[in-house]
Amino acid sequence: MYLVLLEIMAFIVSLISLRMNYPLFRWICAILLLTVINEGILVPYFKGEGMVNNVIFYNVFSLADMTVWSILFYKIHEKRSYKIFTAAAYALFMLYSLIELVFINGWHQFHTDSFRVYNICIIISAIFYFYEKLREVYHNLLTDPLFWVTAACFLYHSLLFVNFTTLSQTEYWKTPNAARFYFILQDTASTFYYFLLSCSFLVCYFSYYRRAQT
């Protein structure tokens, strides 16, 4: 319930993007809407009915999520080399994901291995953005909504990578409280993610209307 409330909060805040001429933030609004539908409606309903393994919905949603964020980082980056990396990375982890889902583990098991490749690619893309901003003489983070978007992705995927890596470590899961620490890390990642995305929309909103008034 806590995560669903976070997702709903972030989606409600993202609705302010509909009043601004920033297509990139509308993409984020759309993926947040899909998140709310998946986590708040589809997964609980089918889990309760016992009709379909809810992991299928997570797998389908993850492919949409991977596509949207790849498009966003392609648009965020200005350097051609970064754009090429984003496009190549998308082709790599999407192909790996489909192979894992169709031929290796099936749709009833989450594609953890290929998703970790996606985690790494998003982390690298975020580092590219941070590096370019560090090279500037002065950069005001309070007026840069893309920084908060990138920070959200960097923290979220870094923690997710650690969590998904533990799933392949059999010995780790024999330790006491392993499952508890897993969910704590998962909740921490989601908290950073949705809170920082909400901040990015607010920064974008106030920056947009500040410029409109001058």
Side-chain angles (χ1 to χ4, degrees):
M1 180 57 69
Y2 167 71
L3 291 183
V4 174
L5 290 176
L6 269 181
E7 293 157 3
I8 293 173
M9 177 203 73
F11 171 66
I12 291 174
V13 173
S14 75
L15 291 175
I16 62 177
S17 67
L18 302 179
R19 300 185 60 186
M20 302 180 293
N21 188 26
Y22 284 121
L24 187 146
F25 282 87
R26 292 179 183 178
W27 278 94
I28 302 176
C29 178
I31 200 63
L32 288 174
L33 174 60
L34 286 179
T35 303
V36 170
I37 293 173
N38 185 60
E39 298 271 3
I41 301 175
L42 294 179
V43 170
Y45 175 77
F46 285 99
K47 183 178 181 180
E49 295 293 325
M51 297 166 58
V52 181
N53 185 338
N54 58 36
V55 178
I56 294 176
F57 293 105
Y58 285 112
N59 280 323
V60 173
F61 170 78
S62 70
L63 297 181
D65 183 75
M66 291 157 69
T67 299
V68 169
W69 280 109
S70 295
I71 293 172
L72 289 174
F73 272 103
Y74 186 87
K75 291 178 175 294
I76 287 172
H77 291 314
E78 297 178 356
K79 279 193 172 182
R80 185 170 179 270
S81 57
Y82 295 164
K83 288 180 177 292
I84 292 174
F85 169 82
T86 303
Y90 174 74
L92 171 65
F93 58 67
M94 184 59 71
L95 178 61
Y96 187 11
S97 296
L98 292 174
I99 291 174
E100 187 175 359
L101 287 168
V102 177
F103 299 107
I104 301 176
N105 295 325
W107 291 88
H108 293 280
Q109 183 175 333
F110 191 72
H111 58 119
T112 308
D113 290 340
S114 53
F115 200 84
R116 282 194 295 162
V117 176
Y118 169 57
N119 292 148
I120 293 171
C121 292
I122 291 295
I123 291 168
I124 294 173
S125 290
I127 290 173
F128 285 157
Y129 182 83
F130 294 145
Y131 174 71
E132 289 302 316
K133 297 309 165 187
L134 282 172
R135 294 180 63 190
E136 296 181 7
V137 176
Y138 173 75
H139 187 76
N140 189 352
L141 301 181
L142 295 179
T143 60
D144 178 15
L146 293 181
F147 170 82
W148 301 104
V149 170
T150 308
C153 291
F154 178 80
L155 291 172
Y156 180 69
H157 286 280
S158 296
L159 293 175
L160 229 59
F161 177 81
V162 172
N163 245 10
F164 285 159
T165 299
T166 65
L167 294 177
S168 62
Q169 306 299 316
T170 307
E171 292 301 317
Y172 171 80
W173 287 92
K174 294 179 181 179
T175 60
N177 297 319
R180 180 185 178 188
F181 288 130
Y182 175 88
F183 287 110
I184 288 175
L185 204 59
Q186 197 80 2
D187 289 348
T188 302
S190 296
T191 300
F192 276 126
Y193 182 67
Y194 293 111
F195 176 75
L196 290 176
L197 284 183
S198 298
C199 287
S200 73
F201 279 99
L202 294 174
V203 169
C204 185
Y205 178 82
F206 288 118
S207 297
Y208 177 80
Y209 280 98
R210 192 180 298 114
R211 287 195 299 270
Q213 294 173 357
T214 58

